[in-house]
Amino acid sequence: MILHCPSCRSIRIAANHTGRKVCISVGTVAGAASGIATATCGARIGATVGAFAGPVGSTMGGLAGALLGGLVGGVAGGSAGAALGDFVDEHILDIFECMECGHTFSANSE
Ligand SMILES: [Zn+2]
């Protein structure tokens, strides 16, 4: 599908992903924050499992559990944020900008 500017019919259109960028950042931070909560739980499980291998195993297990929880939370939050950002871009914000006349419009407004 070739997009035309609704104002001047130019095909020199640039996509603008402001919502996506913002939501990815917010989602990653929120995900990492919830991941840290999960990490505390992961650390406890890791420490318990690692305890079978002695004090070093307990420390290593706790560390691995915490890292995994934070990482998984951050990645999950980032993907959720990207999906939300795409939705915001497509349905709420004007995501396309005409390079000829500077007119901004959404994919639905054509
Ligand atoms: Zn235009």
Side-chain angles (χ1 to χ4, degrees), residues 14-79:
N16 183 352
H17 292 295
T18 312
R20 184 185 165 89
K21 282 177 207 148
V22 171
C23 287
I24 288 175
S25 313
V26 173
T28 305
V29 171
S34 80
I36 287 165
T38 314
T40 318
C41 180
R44 206 172 301 132
I45 295 168
T48 310
V49 172
F52 289 107
V56 178
S58 182
T59 309
M60 292 305 283
L63 205 66
L67 277 175
L68 213 65
L71 199 69
V72 167
V75 170
S79 332

Side-chain angles (χ1 to χ4, degrees), residues 5 7-10 98 100-103:
C5 170
S7 178
C8 69
R9 311 309 298 170
S10 167
C98 174
E100 294 290 337
C101 70
H103 181 74

